[in-house]
C-alpha cells in the first residue's frame, strides 16, 4: 500500500515546539551564550570558547562548594530516609489518629521555603531564639553565626525537620499498599520483626523509597533558600552550597561567564543523577513485571 | 499435634454486637480430632475463613475459648501456636529464592542447616519444584507461587495443624488434582490435623474423611461424605452437596404422609414434630424415579445429557424437580409420573432435618 506523505503534519507538533522553546530551550541557550562569550555590557559579546568552563572545572572555590554540597546531601539522606521509614512504620494504620498524623506530618511541607529559613533563623538565635537561648541557658556553647559546626547542625536539623515528612509519607503509602495476608503469613511462619521488615516491608517499599531518595537528593542538591536565610552561606563560606555560590558569583560579583558555565555543569550533574535513578527504577519495574 | 476444641466460640467484626445477625460466627462448640482430615465447606461469606483465622490466632474471638489439647490458646499469639496456614492467594517473599522461601519457617525456629536442607528438598519434590529451588520467587507464575505457599505450609513436621484456606483457587485444574493427592499422601504419612476450607464440594469430598458444612456462621453438619449425601441435616446441605442439589418441596406433613398440593407422598415413617413452621420434604435427583403411572404427575420441561447420565428438568405439584436418569434407560412419552422411594425421603421442619418414628 502506498503511504500517504503529507508534510503539513509537522504543523501539528508546532505548538509543542513553541512551548518547549520558550520554556526551556531559549532560556537555556541564553545561559549557553553567556558561558561561551565574555561581555562588558552594552550587549557586546566577545567569543571566549571553553575558557569559562576550564576556569570553573579547575576552580578551588567550586570544588569546595561541591564538596560541601555532596556532604550535605549525603548527611540529610542518611538521616531522613531511615528516620522517615521509622516514622512510617510507627504511624497508626487507620482511624482518627492516622488522619491526625498525616495532617501534622504534611504541615512542614506546606511552609514556604524562606519562611522555614526565617523560623529557624530566629529559633536558633542566642539572644531571642527559643532554641539558641535555651541551649545557652543549659551551658552549651551554641552559636550558628560564628561556629561553622553549629551552622551545619542548624541547617541539617532544619532540613530534617522540613523534609523528613516527605519520606515518611511516601514510605507510609508504600506500607499501606501491602496486603494483610503478608503479615499473616509472616506470623504463621514465626518471622521476627526484623525479618518482616527485611523481607516484606522493605521490598514492597522499594519503589516509593527510590522516588523519595531521588526527590530528596535533587532538592537537597539544589538547596538555596533556607540556608541562605539562616546563615547567608556563612560563617565564612562554611555553608555556601552550590546554589548559594552560584548566586554570589552571578549576582554578587556579576561574573556572568563563569556563572553560566557553572550553571550548565550544575544542571548536567543533576540531569545525570536523575537519569541514573530513572534507569534503575524502570529496570526494577521491568523485573517486577516478569 | 493436638485435638483442637472450640468452646462456646463466637465472633463478630463489630465492637458491640447486639443481635445474633451481628455475629459472623454464631456461638458454637466443635472438636477437631487429632489427626483428622477435615474439609470445611460452605458458600462464600459463611464464616469459614473467620473460623480458620481464629484457630490460627490471626483473629481473636469475641467470645469463647480455643483449646489445643488441654492448653487454652485463646490469648496466645499465632507464633506460639505452631500452626501452619496456607492462604487463598499466594504469599511469597519476593526477594528470596524458592529455597529460602521454603526454608523460612524452619530457619525462624532455629532448625539446623542440614535438617532444613533435607526438608526443603523433600517438599520441593512434593510440589514439583526441585528444578526451581535456586530461582528468585519474584518472577514466578501465580501457580508456582501458590505451590511455594503450600510448601511453606507443609515444611514443618511438628505443627499442631495445617489450615488450608481455599489453597487451590489459583491453580490450574490438572495441578489441582495432583496437589490434592499430595496433600492426602502427606496426611497419611504424617497424620497432621488438616482443615481444608473450600466452597468446591468435589474438593471437599475427595480430600476429607470428615466434612464440616457451614452456613450463615454456623456449623450445620459434620459427617462423612456419605452422611452428607444421604441424610443432610439442613436444607442448605441438601442443596449445596450434590450436583444438582437435593429437590426440596414445600409440603404439609400429616403423620406418615406429605401433602404436595393435591398429591400425597408416603413417607414410610411418622413425623409428629413437623406440624408447625415451614415443612419440606427433600429427595436427591439420583433417587427420584420416573414411572409410567405410580407416584405424582410430572411435567418434563427439558432433558440435559451430561455424559454419564441424563438430567431431567421437570415440574411436579407446581414446584421444580430434577431427576437423574441413568444412561440407557429410554425416556418415552409414557413417563408421566415420578415416584419417591420412602426410605430416600428426608423431612425438614424450618430447614432442619427431623427423624421419623416407625409406626
Amino acid at each position: 500500500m502506498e503511504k500517504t506523505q503529507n508534510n503539513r503534519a509537522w504543523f501539528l507538533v508546532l505548538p509543542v515546539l513553541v512551548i518547549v522553546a520558550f520554556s526551556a530551550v531559549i532560556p537555556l541557550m541564553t545561559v549557553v551564550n553567556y558561558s561561551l562569550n565574555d561581555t562588558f555590557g552594552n550587549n557586546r559579546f566577545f567569543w571566549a570558547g571553553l575558557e569559562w568552563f576550564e576556569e570553573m572545572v579547575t576552580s578551588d572555590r567550586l570544588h569546595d562548594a561541591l564538596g560541601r554540597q555532596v556532604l550535605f546531601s549525603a548527611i540529610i539522606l542518611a538521616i531522613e530516609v531511615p528516620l522517615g521509614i521509622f516514622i512510617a512504620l510507627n504511624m497508626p494504620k487507620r482511624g482518627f489518629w492516622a488522619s491526625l498524623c498525616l495532617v501534622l506530618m504534611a504541615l512542614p511541607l506546606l511552609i514556604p521555603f524562606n519562611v522555614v529559613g526565617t523560623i529557624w533563623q530566629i529559633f536558633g538565635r542566642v539572644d531571642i531564639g527559643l532554641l539558641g537561648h535555651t541551649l545557652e541557658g543549659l551551658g552549651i556553647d551554641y552559636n550558628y553565626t560564628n561556629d561553622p559546626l553549629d551552622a551545619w547542625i542548624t541547617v541539617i536539623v532544619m532540613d530534617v525537620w522540613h523534609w523528613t515528612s516527605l519520606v515518611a509519607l511516601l514510605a507510609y503509602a508504600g506500607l499501606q499498599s501491602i496486603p494483610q495476608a503478608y503479615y499473616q503469613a509472616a506470623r504463621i511462619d514465626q518471622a521476627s520483626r526484623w525479618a518482616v521488615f527485611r523481607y516484606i516491608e522493605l521490598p514492597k517499599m522499594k519503589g516509593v523509597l527510590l522516588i523519595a531518595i531521588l526527590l530528596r537528593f535533587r532538592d537537597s542538591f539544589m538547596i538555596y533558600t533556607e540556608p541562605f536565610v539562616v546563615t547567608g552561606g556563612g560563617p565564612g563560606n562554611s555553608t555556601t552550597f552550590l546554589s548559594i555560590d552560584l548566586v554570589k558569583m552571578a549576582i554578587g560579583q556579576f561574573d556572568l561567564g563563569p556563572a553560566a558555565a557553572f550553571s550548565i555543569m550544575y544542571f548536567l550533574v543533576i540531569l545525570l543523577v536523575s537519569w541514573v535513578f530513572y534507569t534503575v527504577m524502570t529496570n526494577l519495574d521491568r523485573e517486577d513485571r516478569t | 499435634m493436638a485435638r483442637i476444641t472450640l468452646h462456646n466460640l463466637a465472633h463478630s467484626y463489630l465492637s458491640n454486637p447486639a443481635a445474633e445477625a451481628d455475629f459472623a460466627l454464631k456461638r458454637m462448640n466443635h472438636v477437631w480430632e487429632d489427626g483428622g482430615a477435615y474439609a470445611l465447606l460452605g458458600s462464600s461469606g459463611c464464616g469459614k475463613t473467620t473460623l480458620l483465622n481464629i484457630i490460627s490466632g490471626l483473629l481473636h474471638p469475641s467470645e469463647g475459648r480455643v483449646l489445643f489439647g488441654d492448653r487454652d490458646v485463646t490469648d496466645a499469639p499465632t507464633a506460639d501456636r505452631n500452626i501452619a496456614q496456607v492462604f487463598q492467594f499466594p504469599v511469597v517473599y519476593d526477594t528470596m529464592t524458592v529455597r529460602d522461601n521454603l526454608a523460612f519457617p524452619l530457619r525462624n525456629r532455629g532448625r539446623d542447616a542440614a535438617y532444613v536442607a533435607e526438608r526443603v528438598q523433600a517438599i520441593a519434590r512434593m510440589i514439583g519444584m526441585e528444578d526451581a529451588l535456586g530461582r528468585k520467587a519474584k518472577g514466578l507464575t501465580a501457580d508456582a507461587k501458590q505451590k511455594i505457599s503450600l510448601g511453606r505450609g507443609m515444611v514443618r513436621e511438628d505443627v499442631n495443624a495445617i489450615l488450608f484456606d481455599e489453597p487451590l483457587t489459583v491453580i490450574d485444574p490438572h495441578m489441582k488434582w495432583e496437589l490434592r493427592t499430595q496433600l492426602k499422601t502427606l496426611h497419611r504419612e504424617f497424620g497432621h490435623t488438616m482443615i481444608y476450607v473450600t466452597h468446591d464440594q468435589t474438593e471437599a469430598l475427595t480430600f476429607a474423611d470428615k466434612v464440616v458444612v457451614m452456613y450463615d456462621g454456623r456449623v450445620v453438619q459434620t459427617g462423612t461424605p456419605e452422611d452428607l449425601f444421604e441424610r443432610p441435616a439442613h436444607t442448605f446441605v441438601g442443596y449445596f452437596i450434590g450436583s444438582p442439589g437435593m429437590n426440596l418441596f414445600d409440603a404439609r406433613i400429616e403423620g406418615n404422609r406429605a401433602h404436595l398440593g393435591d398429591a400425597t407422598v408416603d413417607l414410610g415413617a411418622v413425623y409428629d414434630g413437623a406440624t408447625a413452621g415451614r415443612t419440606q420434604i427433600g429427595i436427591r435427583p439420583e433417587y427420584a424415579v420416573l414411572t409410567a403411572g405410580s407416584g405424582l404427575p410430572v411435567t418434563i420441561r427439558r432433558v440435559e445429557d451430561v455424559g454419564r447420565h441424563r438430567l431431567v428438568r421437570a415440574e411436579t405439584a407446581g414446584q421444580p424437580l430434577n431427576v437423574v436418569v441413568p444412561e440407557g434407560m429410554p425416556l418415552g412419552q409414557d413417563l408421566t409420573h415420578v415416584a419417591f422411594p420412602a426410605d430416600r425421603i428426608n423431612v425438614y421442619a424450618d430447614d432442619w432435618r427431623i427423624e421419623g418414628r416407625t409406626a
Side-chain angles (χ1 to χ4, degrees):
Chain A
M1 204 183 86
E2 196 69 8
K3 229 182 199 171
T4 319
Q5 292 280 344
N6 188 340
N7 282 321
R8 275 176 298 179
W10 288 106
F11 283 113
L12 295 176
V13 290
L14 194 63
V16 176
L17 284 179
V18 170
I19 290 170
V20 172
F22 274 96
S23 72
V25 180
I26 294 172
L28 193 66
M29 289 322 287
T30 321
V31 179
V32 171
N33 187 34
Y34 276 110
S35 75
L36 297 171
N37 288 290
D38 200 357
T39 176
F40 304 102
N42 299 327
N43 253 342
R44 293 185 57 197
F45 288 92
F46 303 91
W47 180 250
L50 293 176
E51 201 179 306
W52 301 132
F53 285 93
E54 278 161 29
E55 189 185 319
M56 282 297 103
V57 166
T58 53
S59 143
D60 286 341
R61 171 180 170 181
L62 192 129
H63 290 169
D64 290 350
L66 181 66
R68 286 189 289 267
Q69 187 68 71
V70 169
L71 182 65
F72 177 74
S73 288
I75 291 175
I76 66 108
L77 280 177
I79 296 175
E80 289 176 13
V81 173
L83 184 62
I85 293 173
F86 179 79
I87 292 171
L89 287 173
N90 289 293
M91 270 167 74
K93 297 283 173 277
R94 59 185 66 80
F96 169 76
W97 292 107
S99 314
L100 185 73
C101 271
L102 288 174
V103 171
L104 289 179
M105 298 286 295
L107 274 183
L109 302 175
L110 301 176
I111 302 173
F113 295 12
N114 53 355
V115 175
V116 172
T118 311
I119 290 172
W120 282 82
Q121 206 267 346
I122 296 170
F123 190 46
R125 275 174 68 162
V126 180
D127 49 353
I128 54 167
L130 186 62
L131 175 72
H133 199 69
T134 310
L135 287 176
E136 202 191 28
L138 291 171
I140 296 164
D141 182 24
Y142 165 85
N143 192 334
Y144 68 80
T145 53
N146 57 27
D147 184 311
L149 182 65
D150 290 350
W152 267 80
I153 291 173
T154 309
V155 171
I156 284 167
V157 170
M158 172 176 67
D159 198 83
V160 168
W161 175 82
H162 193 182
W163 289 111
T164 304
S165 296
L166 180 75
V167 182
L169 292 177
L170 283 169
Y172 184 72
L175 284 174
Q176 291 288 65
S177 70
I178 302 175
Q180 270 304 312
Y182 281 86
Y183 292 107
Q184 296 183 336
R187 280 159 74 188
I188 296 284
D189 292 339
Q190 286 185 354
S192 62
R193 183 68 192 89
W194 166 250
V196 170
F197 176 70
R198 170 68 186 79
Y199 296 113
I200 297 175
E201 291 170 333
L202 198 56
K204 300 273 174 203
M205 278 195 291
K206 194 168 58 184
V208 285
L209 282 182
L210 272 171
I211 292 173
I213 293 171
L214 172 62
L215 288 176
R216 282 316 301 131
F217 168 79
R218 227 197 42 199
D219 285 348
S220 68
F221 207 74
M222 301 193 293
I223 194 165
Y224 175 75
T225 318
E226 302 108 300
F228 183 76
V229 173
V230 177
T231 64
N237 274 331
S238 62
T239 56
T240 300
F241 302 121
L242 287 175
S243 284
I244 297 177
D245 207 19
L246 179 61
V247 172
K248 277 186 188 169
M249 195 183 286
I251 297 174
Q253 300 157 228
F254 216 66
D255 281 337
L256 291 183
F262 183 165
S263 303
I264 287 170
M265 291 189 290
Y266 194 3
F267 167 64
L268 290 179
V269 167
I270 288 173
L271 194 67
L272 176 75
V273 174
S274 302
W275 177 79
V276 167
F277 264 95
Y278 177 78
T279 312
V280 169
M281 280 194 288
T282 43
N283 278 342
L284 284 176
D285 259 11
R286 204 171 309 139
E287 231 177 78
D288 277 342
R289 264 180 272 125
T290 49
Chain B
M1 288 180 225
R3 190 179 60 191
I4 299 172
T5 310
L6 308 178
H7 183 69
N8 281 336
L9 195 77
H11 187 73
S12 172
Y13 287 101
L14 307 175
S15 45
N16 288 309
E20 196 177 70
D22 292 344
F23 281 88
L25 216 55
K26 316 280 194 264
R27 184 178 298 277
M28 66 166 73
N29 284 290
H30 194 86
V31 175
W32 311 87
E33 291 298 341
D34 188 12
Y38 292 94
L40 191 51
L41 189 63
S43 47
S44 303
C46 71
K48 296 173 305 218
T49 300
T50 305
L51 186 60
L52 221 56
N53 287 348
I54 287 175
I55 294 173
S56 62
L58 295 175
L59 209 57
H60 190 272
S62 314
E63 292 171 24
R65 320 298 304 166
V66 179
L67 284 84
F68 284 11
D70 296 324
R71 184 181 160 224
D72 187 335
V73 294
T74 317
D75 300 312
T78 302
D80 282 1
R81 299 191 187 195
N82 201 18
I83 207 156
Q85 185 169 359
V86 180
F87 302 95
Q88 183 172 6
F89 296 104
V91 177
V92 297
Y93 304 106
D94 284 338
T95 51
M96 296 187 199
T97 59
V98 174
R99 175 179 288 110
D100 290 338
N101 260 283
L102 293 176
F104 194 57
L106 296 175
R107 287 190 183 142
N108 286 331
R109 285 166 177 82
R111 307 303 295 260
D112 65 88
Y115 173 77
V116 172
E118 177 207 322
R119 272 310 282 167
V120 166
Q121 201 64 41
I123 292 295
R125 196 176 321 122
M126 188 178 292
I127 58 174
M129 294 193 72
E130 279 171 300
D131 300 335
L133 278 177
R135 283 194 56 179
K136 270 259 165 73
K138 188 180 218 165
L140 298 170
T141 59
D143 221 70
K145 285 184 180 177
Q146 186 64 347
K147 284 197 266 172
I148 298 173
S149 302
L150 270 169
R152 269 209 333 272
M154 301 185 295
V155 75
R156 284 178 274 151
E157 291 175 289
D158 59 345
V159 286
N160 281 316
I162 309 182
L163 314 179
F164 299 96
D165 191 355
E166 306 194 26
L168 303 182
T169 312
V170 295
I171 307 267
D172 66 44
H174 151 78
M175 195 65 204
K176 242 182 204 177
W177 186 83
E178 170 88 29
L179 283 174
R180 219 155 44 213
T181 317
Q182 296 279 19
L183 291 181
K184 269 302 256 198
T185 316
L186 186 85
H187 179 253
R188 265 198 296 275
E189 222 173 293
F190 293 103
H192 290 131
T193 309
M194 289 189 177
I195 304 176
Y196 189 104
V197 165
T198 178
H199 59 247
D200 178 340
Q201 50 163 318
T202 326
E203 217 168 279
L205 300 179
T206 51
F207 172 80
D209 313 328
K210 276 233 169 121
V211 179
V212 178
V213 184
M214 285 188 72
Y215 174 67
D216 191 25
R218 259 191 194 88
V219 171
V220 287
Q221 189 170 10
T222 306
T224 61
E226 196 199 348
D227 287 338
L228 300 183
F229 191 78
E230 300 288 346
R231 286 170 296 279
H234 188 275
T235 51
F236 174 77
V237 182
Y239 145 83
F240 199 68
I241 306 275
S243 174
M246 183 180 258
N247 296 302
L248 287 161
F249 303 102
D250 283 321
R252 190 161 52 79
I253 311 288
E254 247 179 29
N256 64 351
R257 304 200 160 273
H259 300 280
L260 284 77
D262 298 334
T264 306
V265 175
D266 183 11
L267 299 173
V270 180
Y271 295 85
D272 301 320
T275 46
R278 183 186 189 193
T279 49
Q280 285 165 292
I281 61 167
I283 181 144
R284 291 271 173 207
E286 289 80 356
Y287 296 140
V289 185
L290 292 173
T291 68
S294 65
L296 288 71
V298 71
T299 317
I300 296 178
R301 299 279 180 222
R302 206 164 72 232
V303 179
E304 293 166 20
D305 197 326
V306 289
R308 279 168 313 179
H309 55 74
R310 279 162 297 167
L311 185 60
V312 174
R313 306 277 190 188
E315 199 182 293
T316 188
Q319 302 181 52
L321 163 79
N322 297 315
V323 181
V324 168
V325 178
E327 207 167 19
M329 178 181 150
L331 272 173
Q333 293 281 334
D334 57 332
L335 296 177
T336 53
H337 286 70
V338 63
F340 301 155
D343 58 338
R344 301 297 195 188
I345 297 174
N346 290 287
V347 178
Y348 297 93
D350 287 328
D351 288 327
W352 292 93
R353 183 174 184 273
I354 50 174
E355 277 293 339
R357 169 170 64 80
T358 26

